[in-house]
């Protein structure tokens, strides 16, 4: 989920090219992201922390409560500020944090990392 439509579409295109076996969806806000999650129950969710309607942390908490094994990856343009404002829930909810702009090799490493057993 990414509130910048162009960034979201670019991310989806790259993930589709690198991982053609993955089915991908793009949501411009947390509420739409939640609806897509409920419909499709993906194994991996990449979300911006700062989004309209529902932020990435709220979305991740809801996802984690429904599907504890979903890999949750947080993106933030200002990761330092996001870390300073953390409530403590993030470390319990997200599996990984990536600062924007991120290198796709870093994202690929996170996607390729085995999930919980």
């Amino acid at each position: 989920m990414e509130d910048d439509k162009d960034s979201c579409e670019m991310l989806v295109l790259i993930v589709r090219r690198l991982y053609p076996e993955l089915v991908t969806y793009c949501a411009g806000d947390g509420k739409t992201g939640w609806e897509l999650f409920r419909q499709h129950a993906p194994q991996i969710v990449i979300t911006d922390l700062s989004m309209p309607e529902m932020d990435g942390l709220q979305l991740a908490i809801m996802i984690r409560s429904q599907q504890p094994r979903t890999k949750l990856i947080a993106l933030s343009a200002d990761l330092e500020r996001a870390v300073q404002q953390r409530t403590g829930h993030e470390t319990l909810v997200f599996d990984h944090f990536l600062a924007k702009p991120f290198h796709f090799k870093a994202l690929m490493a996170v996607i390729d990392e085995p999930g919980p057993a």
Side-chain angles (χ1 to χ4, degrees), residues 53-73:
E53 299 290 327
M54 178 190 310
D55 70 26
L57 177 59
Q58 292 169 311
L59 175 64
I61 289 169
M62 292 171 66
I63 289 171
R64 188 64 79 208
S65 72
Q66 296 295 309
Q67 293 291 335
R69 293 179 182 231
T70 299
K71 185 181 291 189
L72 296 170
I73 304 167

Side-chain angles (χ1 to χ4, degrees), residues 4-88:
D4 178 345
K5 184 179 179 184
D6 291 337
S7 295
C8 188
E9 289 173 358
M10 182 62 73
L11 179 60
V12 165
L13 286 172
I14 292 169
V15 169
R16 283 181 182 162
R17 178 170 284 240
L18 296 173
Y19 300 93
E21 72 281 7
L22 295 181
V23 177
T24 56
Y25 303 94
C26 189
D29 61 73
K31 184 178 176 186
T32 303
W34 174 243
E35 291 168 10
L36 285 169
F37 179 83
R38 288 182 37 206
Q39 290 173 6
H40 304 286
Q43 296 175 341
I44 301 170
V45 173
I46 302 168
T47 183
D48 196 333
L49 288 176
S50 189
M51 292 187 300
E53 299 290 327
M54 178 190 310
D55 70 26
L57 177 59
Q58 292 169 311
L59 175 64
I61 289 169
M62 292 171 66
I63 289 171
R64 188 64 79 208
S65 72
Q66 296 295 309
Q67 293 291 335
R69 293 179 182 231
T70 299
K71 185 181 291 189
L72 296 170
I73 304 167
L75 304 176
S76 180
D78 191 353
L79 196 56
E80 184 177 322
R81 187 178 73 170
V83 168
Q84 290 173 352
Q85 294 176 344
R86 285 168 42 169
T87 63

Side-chain angles (χ1 to χ4, degrees), residues 83-110:
V83 168
Q84 290 173 352
Q85 294 176 344
R86 285 168 42 169
T87 63
H89 288 84
E90 291 91 337
T91 56
L92 301 173
V93 177
F94 287 104
D95 297 299
H96 298 280
F97 292 90
L98 293 174
K100 294 193 287 185
F102 56 88
H103 294 279
F104 279 97
K105 285 185 179 183
L107 178 61
M108 290 167 44
V110 169

